[in-house]
Amino acid sequence: MASLTYYGHSAFSIDTGSHKVLIDPFISGNPLTDVDPEAIECDAILLTHGHGDHIGDTIPIARRCGALVVTTYELAGYLDSQDVQNHPMHIGGYRRFEFGAVKLTPAFHGGGIEGAPVVCWPCGFLFYFDGKTVFHPGDTCLTVEFELIGRMNDIDVAMLPIGDNFTMGPGDALEAVRMLQPKTVVPMHYNTWELIAQDADKFKQDVESRTGAKVVVVPPGGSLEI
Ligand code: NI
Ligand code: MN
């Protein structure tokens, strides 16, 4: 059985049953988790962009675990300079790895890298394993690309930002659900700071009364079987 664990913000760990894959492991300094980043094990890390609340502990975790970081070409180049094992891809690209397959999706957001004078294009990830499809769009606004992604994929779980201010908020995330048509939605990128405080239970009510999707509000530290 596969499971998805939430560390708060946009940080997740997916245990496929055979591999552990982290997405945007912002652990140190994340007010929603007290997990010790040194206790986290993984085989691969999917990194959507270089902002501090996403790249987070990617470099130390990847070095310690010998994990492969999959990200955009520009950010992969920066990771090369940090002696981190990586695989560069770009938006629209699909590739199979031992831990599953990924496709990079467009994200409309900033491309700065925390602490480095490099700008990269941000992305989202479709992650495919054992007949399952998980979508993590990274930080983005509502975009019509979701329509196409929904049409071309049978999404089991979509993690969607609802925090507003830096990304789409709950109203736009509801429209994203209409376009993506996932079976399950997990809200993310909210309540980390006052600036992105949101009522996830209200989001759940709104989505479940207006779409066929189920919303699972996973508390930080909580897991979901997928
Ligand atoms: Ni960001
Ligand atoms: Mn962010």
Side-chain angles (χ1 to χ4, degrees), residues 6 8 13 29 31 36 48-49 55 79 93 96 98 116 125 128 157 165-166 172 175-176 179 214 216:
Y6 186 42
S13 171
D36 177 1
T48 65
H49 65 295
I55 193 168
L79 294 173
R96 284 200 186 111
E98 253 182 52
F125 287 95
Y128 307 95
V157 182
N165 194 80
F166 298 113
D172 285 0
E175 191 57 38
M179 292 194 271
K214 180 181 165 195
V216 180

Side-chain angles (χ1 to χ4, degrees), residues 104-186:
L104 269 60
T105 62
F108 291 80
H109 191 66
I113 299 177
E114 189 74 18
V118 185
V119 176
C120 66
W121 193 269
C123 71
F125 287 95
L126 282 158
F127 177 44
Y128 307 95
F129 65 95
D130 294 341
K132 303 231 167 36
T133 302
V134 174
F135 181 46
H136 187 303
D139 279 0
T140 186
C141 63
L142 176 64
T143 154
V144 291
E145 275 74 10
F146 288 147
E147 182 85 40
L148 195 55
I149 292 167
R151 199 190 309 162
M152 296 180 67
N153 294 275
D154 190 6
I155 300 172
D156 293 288
V157 182
M159 297 86 116
L160 294 178
I162 65 163
D164 224 332
N165 194 80
F166 298 113
T167 65
M168 54 184 167
D172 285 0
L174 167 62
E175 191 57 38
V177 175
R178 288 198 176 104
M179 292 194 271
L180 293 165
Q181 298 183 37
K183 290 186 188 73
T184 300
V185 175
V186 175

Side-chain angles (χ1 to χ4, degrees), residues 9-10 49 51 53-54 109 139 166-167 189:
H9 205 57
S10 292
H49 65 295
H51 287 166
D53 58 322
H54 296 262
H109 191 66
D139 279 0
F166 298 113
T167 65
H189 210 274

Side-chain angles (χ1 to χ4, degrees), residues 58-122:
T58 296
I59 291 171
I61 292 175
R63 281 182 184 152
R64 178 174 50 79
C65 297
L68 183 71
V69 182
V70 179
T71 188
T72 52
Y73 177 81
E74 292 79 10
L75 193 42
Y78 171 69
L79 294 173
D80 261 343
S81 76
Q82 302 299 304
D83 289 326
V84 170
Q85 198 191 170
N86 63 80
H87 181 89
M89 292 183 68
H90 234 302
I91 293 159
Y94 168 91
R95 186 175 175 88
R96 284 200 186 111
F97 296 91
E98 253 182 52
F99 58 85
V102 305
K103 186 172 186 180
L104 269 60
T105 62
F108 291 80
H109 191 66
I113 299 177
E114 189 74 18
V118 185
V119 176
C120 66
W121 193 269

